[in-house]
């Protein structure tokens, strides 16, 4: 299935609409903890951290050591950051890294 078709699928639209109605971090934690495994939460948190670090000019080597992501995944994130649909760029404008410590993911074990 092509990405455009996947994004337009009713089940995907339903999920995205559900995310949009979450009221606060408490609701988001509860929903995503039920929806995703701990490993998936950690992976998504690491990917978002990697995007923020890439945006700040951090090297692949440091990102890999900090997040545990493969260089292939980091390269994919970099590609979408530069030539994606603008989702990373939009969120980076709203939530920049702002000198956060590079040793923790914003999503992870704290959701259990």
């Amino acid at each position: 299935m092509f990405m455009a078709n996947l994004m337009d699928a009713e089940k995907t639209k339903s999920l995205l609409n559900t995310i949009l109605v979450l009221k606060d971090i408490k609701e988001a934690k509860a929903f995503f903890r039920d929806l995703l495994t701990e490993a998936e939460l950690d992976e998504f948190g690491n990917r978002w951290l990697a995007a923020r670090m890439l945006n700040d000019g951090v090297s692949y080597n440091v990102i890999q050591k900090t997040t545990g992501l493969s260089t292939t995944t980091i390269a994919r994130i970099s590609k979408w950051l530069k030539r994606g649909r603008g989702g990373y760029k939009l969120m980076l404008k709203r939530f920049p890294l702002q000198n956060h410590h590079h040793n923790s993911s914003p999503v992870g074990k704290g959701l259990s």
Side-chain angles (χ1 to χ4, degrees):
M1 183 179 278
F2 293 105
M3 181 57 121
N5 292 341
L6 178 61
M7 293 304 288
D8 290 334
E10 284 304 314
K11 64 184 176 184
T12 305
K13 284 182 181 179
S14 176
L15 173 62
L16 296 174
N17 281 319
T18 300
I19 292 167
L20 290 174
V21 300
L22 294 169
K23 295 178 184 173
D24 55 31
I25 192 75
K26 184 178 177 181
E27 287 186 4
K29 283 181 178 182
F31 178 69
F32 281 102
R33 185 56 194 98
D34 287 349
L35 180 68
L36 304 170
T37 66
E38 287 185 16
E40 290 166 334
L41 285 166
D42 191 50
E43 176 73 12
F44 291 155
N46 281 328
R47 288 177 182 219
W48 176 231
L49 179 57
R52 292 166 37 218
M53 292 173 77
L54 284 164
N55 192 60
D56 279 2
V58 178
S59 73
Y60 277 35
N61 189 37
V62 171
I63 295 169
Q64 185 179 29
K65 286 179 182 178
T66 302
T67 65
L69 295 173
S70 71
T71 54
T72 302
T73 298
I74 297 166
R76 187 178 308 118
I77 293 166
S78 180
K79 174 185 169 184
W80 287 110
L81 181 60
K82 293 173 187 169
R83 296 185 306 275
R85 295 203 173 180
Y88 277 136
K89 289 180 182 178
L90 175 66
M91 290 298 103
L92 286 165
K93 286 179 186 174
R94 293 182 187 171
F95 301 101
L97 191 57
Q98 298 176 341
N99 298 321
H100 290 270
H101 297 288
H102 295 301
N103 62 2
S104 63
S105 170
V107 179
K109 294 182 170 80
L111 296 181
S112 54

